[in-house]
Amino acid sequence: MSKSYIIRDSTLVEIGNSLHLQKVDILIVDGTIVEISSKINADGKEVVGNNLYVSAGWVDLRCHLTDPGNEHKDSLENLLDSAAAGGFTSVVTLPHSEPPISDKSSVKYLTKSAENHVVNLLPTGVLSATENTENLAELYDMNNAGAVAFTNGDQAVSNGLLKKALLYTKPFGARVITHPSDKSLEQGGLVNESDVTVHTGLKTSSSLAEYLNISEQIEVARYCEASLHFSAISTEESVNLIRTAQSEGVKVTCDVAIANLCFSDQEVLSFDENFKIYPPLRSESDRQALIAGVNDGTIDAICSNHCPQNIESKQVEFDYAEYGSLALQQVYPWYLKHLSNDIELEKFIEVVTVKPSNFLGQESSSISKGMKANLTIFDKDKVWKFDSSNNKSTSNNSHEWNEELTGGIVAVFNNNLSNRY
Amino acid sequence: MSLLSTKHLLGINDITLDDINLIFKTADNFMEVINRPIKKVPSLRDITIANVFFENSTRTKISFELAEKRLSADVVNFSSSSSSVTKGETLIDTVNNILAMKVDMVVMRHPAPGAHQFLARHIDANIINAGDGTHEHPTQALLDAFSLRQKMGDLNGKKIVIVGDILHSRVALSNIYCLQRLGAKVRVCGPPTLLPKHISSLGVEVSHNLKESLTWCDAANMLRIQLERQEDKYFPSLREYSLQYGVTLPMLEKLDKEIVLMHPGPINRGVEITSEVADSEQSIILNQVENGVAIRMAVLYLLAGKAND
């Protein structure tokens, strides 16, 4: 027996689609879009809402992996459920589980575990073996096993290692991702160094640590004539450096975490440990530059930087709290509340769909008749509470815990499966 | 009875000029009390106060304890040189255990900036910050300003230089807020590696020249070099620091006016100031200590009044 769904009265958001920004009904049968028109008369489960939008399924380029090793923070299943509830049908995971994703078998553990889920799990592997950070891990083998990119996450990557990695991966086209930061300049800083955080007495980290390292890594990429992706950039100077490099033909791309777009270092004045995140929240001028970078195309994607932490590692003094905040389920509400005046909806959709898909070399799903349904349906007017009944994560480290949020996901479709909320 | 605008004393940044003036006025009264033959009043006899110190302290702890006892409060002390985290018990658990014994106020020193703000979100008692890492030390700033006011009168327009390790100091930030609220002009002076990059955004002047700063100021607050809070070396040696930023008697004698010298203690004699300076007429270091008791009595008294509402 076939499964049919009808998405009712939903504004289609897909630049280039002839129905872009038009209200449509969409009929999905057995995971395939069979009809799109202004009014469909057919049988099927109805997806309805007050102010519905439909776009291609969202793609997250950065979330933290806690399984294996830290399942008490979050399980793989809960991570994927959080992604789906946040509108994401593909998530790229960082490799620093315990043990890290550093060989073929660990890549396969992830891809096997995520089979038959509405969300595609796209694992990254480590660039270098943990015991010797200057030696490459088995990148070719992991690439063949399904790793979509290689990164050392938030750990430092020396210029020497980066050069080796960029050259070595060229023949098999693997992607290399770094989060640049000069650890000797970070000096263990917890928050941004600024005229705001000077009031807190907290250890600070200068934005210099990030952009100096970016400027060096741009030169390494230029030298190697290779592609390099910067993950979760956070400073104005980083945006400027990348913009200039791109205009000179250096193949660098980048993404920004939603929290760094929505919040500034003003938030840490309350010492709320949920705002202890990495990279740290920067100055308002950095935030504005990041928004400009999204709008002018310098920044290719908005990522969640979702990082579950159990209450014992988070509900302590700011100094001792682990970094990170939940974000997957808040991406859309945060966009509406903090960014929708500065970033048009169609631009937001572009940086969570087609642009990250292009970076990953994946065919971007298109909303048209005959295509497989990989869709996110979201309701601008949906009001919901971020509490234990709606939270999909094992953890609840969020400054909005038990608060009401506006804007929510109504359904996701992918892999001939659907989740509805 | 007039009371403070806040339930806690977390930092000078959280209180108003009216609060500061009220604390000073109350401390003036308590100065008279602690100079009587019987140095005790019954004001807080129904109040139990826990002094919870997660960092070493001698004078602050004694000063608070004395203040509490002179107000007739019941006092319990908890000290741990390491933070609660390293012992496996969370700060909330430690303090809640103490509060379960019906404690009304918590005086806490803690190595983590913002630890008191964190605690205030989770427990109900009045909290007094006796120093939180490199953030604030409000009662020290109050007693510093009180001592200056005693020596120099109204601080409006007076020039105060804070010398030394501003980066690792909780005294500096609280002093800057407090002195500025009282209308004083504040300058910080020290090696650039020990000054936060954005310190001038607080409206203070920045200098790296001690001699010129001594010429400029009416009073100099010589901060202790916090070697224990420096993970990296910010200057090559104490000797070299002292050569550039230590105050000696000949330096004071060359000035065309008599300036006031302060130090929050404990002094590294021969580093921040020489013994001759510490023991000179211009030094009000021991007045600071004496006034500390009166200031802390005032803060406890005013906050406890709030607690009883």
Side-chain angles (χ1 to χ4, degrees), chain A residues 187 193-196 198-204 206 269-273 312 314-320, chain B residues 13 83 85 91-92 110-115 117-118 121-122 134-135 173 177 196-198 201-202 231-232:
Chain A
Q187 287 186 309
E193 179 186 78
S194 74
D195 55 357
V196 173
V198 73
H199 291 278
T200 65
L202 291 165
K203 268 194 180 178
T204 59
S206 162
L269 289 176
S270 65
F271 294 96
D272 182 345
E273 54 279 2
E312 292 81 6
K314 205 62 186 172
Q315 202 179 82
V316 291
E317 300 88 317
F318 198 94
D319 264 23
Y320 309 140
Chain B
N13 207 18
S83 81
V85 164
L91 175 60
I92 302 173
H110 195 286
Q117 278 81 354
F118 169 77
R121 285 202 293 273
H122 295 286
T134 50
H135 181 217
L173 203 53
Y177 295 142
K197 181 175 165 64
H198 295 277
S201 69
L202 300 180
E231 284 162 19
D232 295 321

Side-chain angles (χ1 to χ4, degrees), chain A residues 181-195:
Chain A
S181 192
D182 184 319
K183 298 295 172 189
S184 74
L185 287 169
E186 266 190 6
Q187 287 186 309
L190 309 174
V191 296
N192 185 41
E193 179 186 78
S194 74
D195 55 357

Side-chain angles (χ1 to χ4, degrees), chain B residues 160-162 166 176 186-210 212-213 216 245:
Chain B
I160 321 291
V161 63
I162 305 171
I166 311 296
I176 290 168
V186 184
R187 174 189 282 208
V188 294
C189 175
T193 50
L194 289 178
L195 302 181
K197 181 175 165 64
H198 295 277
I199 191 76
S200 61
S201 69
L202 300 180
V204 298
E205 290 186 24
V206 177
S207 166
H208 312 300
N209 185 331
L210 178 66
E212 192 272 324
S213 293
W216 172 85
Y245 296 100

Side-chain angles (χ1 to χ4, degrees), chain A residues 4 20 22 47 132 134 140 172 180 214 230 240 242 279 285 315 387 399 415 418:
Chain A
S4 298
H20 181 48
Q22 291 190 27
V47 177
N132 185 338
E134 291 304 302
Y140 176 73
F172 51 97
I214 284 192
F230 295 118
N240 293 340
I242 292 166
S285 58
Q315 202 179 82
D387 59 11
H399 70 278
N415 300 331
S418 70

